[in-house]
Amino acid sequence: PLSSDEIIAKEKANMNNKRFQHCVRVSETSRKLAKLNGYDEDKAALAGFVHDYAKQVPIDEYREVIKTQDFDKDLLNWNRAIWHGIVGTYFITRDLKITDPEILQAVWRHTTADTEMTTLDKIVFMADFIEPGRDFPGVDEARKITYEDLDAGVGYQLAHTLEFLIENRNKIYPRTLEAYNVWSVKSK
Ligand code: DGI
Ligand code: FE
Ligand code: FE
Ligand code: FE
């Protein structure tokens, strides 16, 4: 495996400083959420740190990887917003030599969420949304809810994201909608 210093150097070289600072804050927030939820803090901090590793990979490179590696070819109909988590796992394994399936799954799910989420999946998903650099209407409520109840935070974020996507007439990734039905909808 690579040393922490090597991972930090590679991450820094793969993105602009603004995104690097976001990744540092997601790492710190993931550590905090891990402590609150009885999860391995170092593992959560690493997953949070690398979650956006591939966010600035060129589109052509993504298309090439989706075509040649074992990814659902329907991904070619999507964009970097969806690719950087799912296909980002490929670049994280290739470049950072991280193979821990729990970390890779949390990165995979960090944008779209999923119908079933592990504690680590939820930690990274929520840390990305509430890290201290985030500033949008509702973020303080999101922080309060998430620190009280991680699952409630997931439901809040998915409803918030769906509202945002629909407001802007964006295409909804089906898995995001399925996750919303599980985590955000009140029981009958
Ligand atoms: O990478 P970050 O900006 O830190 O955060 P993120 O990975 O949560 O990405 C958020 C972006 O992804 C935001 O612009 C909304 C977009 N997104 C999330 N779910 C969907 C989506 N975009 C589309 N088109 N469809 C989705 O279902
Ligand atoms: Fe992201
Ligand atoms: Fe997110
Ligand atoms: Fe992020």
Side-chain angles (χ1 to χ4, degrees):
L2 299 189
S3 67
S4 318
D5 284 353
E6 286 170 319
I7 289 176
I8 292 167
K10 280 184 187 283
E11 172 121 339
K12 205 162 200 160
N14 212 44
M15 62 185 67
N16 65 32
N17 187 249
K18 193 175 165 207
R19 183 145 305 270
F20 181 80
Q21 297 306 328
H22 163 69
C23 290
V24 171
R25 291 189 300 267
V26 171
S27 179
E28 289 165 351
T29 305
S30 295
R31 180 180 290 284
K32 194 163 150 183
L33 286 172
K35 193 179 177 73
L36 283 168
N37 291 279
Y39 192 84
D40 181 335
E41 292 177 44
D42 289 337
K43 188 154 157 168
L46 176 59
F49 184 64
V50 302
H51 83 287
D52 276 342
Y53 174 74
K55 185 90 183 200
Q56 289 171 238
V57 166
I59 285 173
D60 290 348
E61 224 175 302
Y62 269 117
R63 302 192 71 87
E64 187 60 24
V65 167
I66 293 165
K67 285 179 191 163
T68 58
Q69 301 299 133
D70 190 20
F71 285 104
D72 183 349
K73 305 310 168 212
D74 173 63
L75 283 165
L76 292 167
N77 300 314
W78 294 83
N79 53 37
R80 193 191 269 114
I82 299 301
W83 294 338
H84 80 279
I86 297 169
V87 189
T89 57
Y90 170 83
F91 295 101
I92 287 168
T93 303
R94 188 192 71 179
D95 301 348
L96 306 181
K97 316 296 179 203
I98 292 172
T99 54
D100 183 330
E102 294 180 17
I103 292 179
L104 296 174
Q105 178 175 281
V107 171
W108 180 297
R109 295 178 170 174
H110 90 264
T111 304
T112 58
D114 210 319
T115 51
E116 284 180 31
M117 308 258 284
T118 64
T119 301
L120 184 61
D121 296 343
K122 294 171 194 171
I123 286 171
V124 176
F125 183 64
M126 292 319 303
D128 187 26
F129 192 60
I130 66 167
E131 59 95 341
R134 293 289 193 198
D135 184 19
F136 54 82
V139 71
D140 284 328
E141 197 189 351
R143 289 182 180 121
K144 184 171 180 290
I145 290 168
T146 304
Y147 286 126
E148 278 171 13
D149 180 348
L150 192 58
D151 286 6
V154 171
Y156 183 93
Q157 176 175 175
L158 282 163
H160 189 279
T161 299
L162 264 286
E163 279 175 22
F164 170 84
L165 292 170
I166 290 167
E167 188 67 34
N168 291 293
R169 298 294 184 267
N170 279 306
K171 188 156 82 167
I172 311 279
Y173 193 67
R175 192 60 64 91
T176 306
L177 184 55
E178 287 172 25
Y180 163 84
N181 283 340
V182 168
W183 297 100
S184 306
V185 173
K186 294 176 194 166
S187 49
K188 294 172 285 245

